[in-house]
Amino acid sequence: MRLTILPLVLAICAACGPTDIRPEQLKAGQTAIPPHGVSLLRASIEAHGGWERWRSHQTLKVVMTDHWDGIIGWFSMPWPENGQRMEMQFLRGTFYGKTKMLGGPSDGDTWGVQAWKAYLTSANGGTEFRDHDDTLFLVPTYQYFLEFPYRIGGAGIIQFAGTRAIGENEYELVYATWGTEAPQLETDQYVLWIGAESRLIEKIEFTVRDQMRWATGTMHFSDYRDVEGIQIPFDMTVTLGPEDESHIHRMQLESVEFDTVPKTVFFPDPSLPFTADSKVTDYRY
């Protein structure tokens, strides 16, 4: 029954316009809110380690386990098995990355992205470029959230969005997007929840325009650890809302290393153009 109903639900939702996650005072165009969103975000980037230290690194290697929970997680889980352990490697500041399965039915297989083309490197070492939407969405998305403070620093629109408290925890909110403040069909919106004391990004409300223009979620960053002067969240969970405690998705990091992976591993086809962090629309091989 659930497999029959889901396409109908998705078809109905697809007819809706893009969700607008801006806090109400921004939607209303209130002008009394202090205009210090940019300085607040810059201070948060410094608390995470700072631009200079971040840009001194070239590559990133992360070992993690990926869990999907509940019915939404059951429908969304993309890997060969739930609780998949994996090693992810990224060329910092680009969308060049790869994910190697550690254990499970696809042990040793690697899903990779080069110049917005997906490829599979099998456990025996052979590489084949292929049309594979999961690879093209997942690998760049994981990289984006792992590099989030420095990625969002380049947003074209950054606005202070007020303060909020959840229990004893106080947050300063920053809204970020590109193009126009209002929701757009192909551009994501983000609301950053910055800890008033820590200055670290502890939650992110986000849209998922690449998948469903109405879909939203909240990423929770916790268990921050210092890795060569960079603050990395070793526990990353996704819920429906910022106060929701029911996990849809949880990423638990085991280790993070900088500059232990040679840059050459990200270019299995040296004839492809280098696209850095730009996104192209025709990514078929």
Side-chain angles (χ1 to χ4, degrees):
M1 178 65 71
R2 61 189 176 191
L3 291 174
T4 303
I5 293 174
L6 183 63
L8 176 61
V9 173
L10 295 180
I12 293 172
C13 292
C16 305
T19 304
D20 188 357
I21 64 171
R22 287 178 296 169
E24 290 302 321
Q25 61 265 44
L26 293 184
K27 292 181 185 179
Q30 294 181 15
T31 58
I33 299 174
H36 64 272
V38 173
S39 60
L40 180 57
L41 180 54
R42 287 175 178 170
S44 182
I45 291 171
E46 287 304 310
H48 281 85
W51 282 110
E52 184 175 352
R53 184 175 285 113
W54 175 250
R55 288 171 174 161
S56 71
H57 298 297
Q58 298 299 313
T59 64
L60 177 66
K61 181 171 77 173
V62 176
V63 176
M64 59 177 287
T65 303
D66 206 37
H67 300 275
W68 297 77
D69 302 311
I71 189 166
I72 297 177
W74 187 81
F75 278 116
S76 304
M77 200 282 294
W79 306 114
E81 68 173 5
N82 203 353
Q84 179 69 59
R85 188 168 178 262
M86 60 187 73
E87 178 185 292
M88 308 191 92
Q89 300 177 359
F90 304 111
L91 183 60
R92 191 267 306 154
T94 72
F95 285 120
Y96 284 61
K98 53 200 301 186
T99 298
K100 181 178 181 179
M101 311 302 163
L102 303 177
S106 299
D107 182 35
D109 286 355
T110 297
W111 297 8
V113 174
Q114 179 190 356
W116 288 103
K117 301 181 188 296
Y119 63 87
L120 171 67
T121 301
S122 63
N124 63 19
T127 296
E128 178 183 2
F129 280 82
R130 57 179 183 163
D131 289 331
H132 197 253
D133 289 341
D134 280 347
T135 298
L136 290 169
F137 175 71
L138 291 165
V139 176
T141 297
Y142 280 54
Q143 179 175 9
Y144 194 83
F145 279 109
L146 283 164
E147 300 183 355
F148 187 81
Y150 310 97
R151 295 282 190 160
I152 204 64
I157 296 173
I158 300 172
Q159 297 177 323
F160 181 65
T163 60
R164 287 280 299 275
I166 299 179
E168 297 181 354
N169 299 314
E170 296 184 355
Y171 304 92
E172 294 183 281
L173 275 56
V174 171
Y175 171 69
T177 189
W178 290 259
T180 66
E181 298 173 14
Q184 304 161 76
L185 290 176
E186 298 182 355
T187 304
D188 281 309
Q189 298 172 300
Y190 299 92
V191 177
L192 288 56
W193 292 56
I194 299 174
E197 293 186 6
S198 70
R199 288 301 186 211
L200 299 175
I201 299 172
E202 298 182 11
K203 304 174 190 287
I204 311 163
E205 295 177 75
F206 60 87
T207 59
V208 195
R209 306 290 196 228
D210 278 352
Q211 296 290 295
M212 302 171 187
R213 60 191 180 192
W214 49 268
T216 66
T218 300
M219 177 75 77
H220 303 253
F221 290 145
S222 61
D223 190 16
Y224 270 97
R225 304 183 195 178
D226 186 293
V227 180
E228 298 187 32
I230 304 292
Q231 297 300 312
I232 303 289
F234 272 63
D235 199 319
M236 303 166 61
T237 60
V238 177
T239 65
L240 292 178
E243 299 186 58
D244 190 357
E245 296 182 358
S246 299
H247 299 161
I248 299 170
H249 182 198
R250 185 175 190 182
M251 294 153 278
Q252 294 177 291
L253 279 59
E254 298 178 24
S255 63
V256 176
E257 299 176 4
F258 291 108
D259 303 320
T260 59
V261 178
K263 291 193 290 185
T264 53
V265 305
F266 300 104
F267 303 95
D269 184 347
S271 70
L272 292 176
F274 181 58
T275 57
D277 65 345
S278 62
K279 186 170 183 178
V280 297
T281 56
D282 183 10
Y283 46 71
R284 293 168 298 174
Y285 194 72

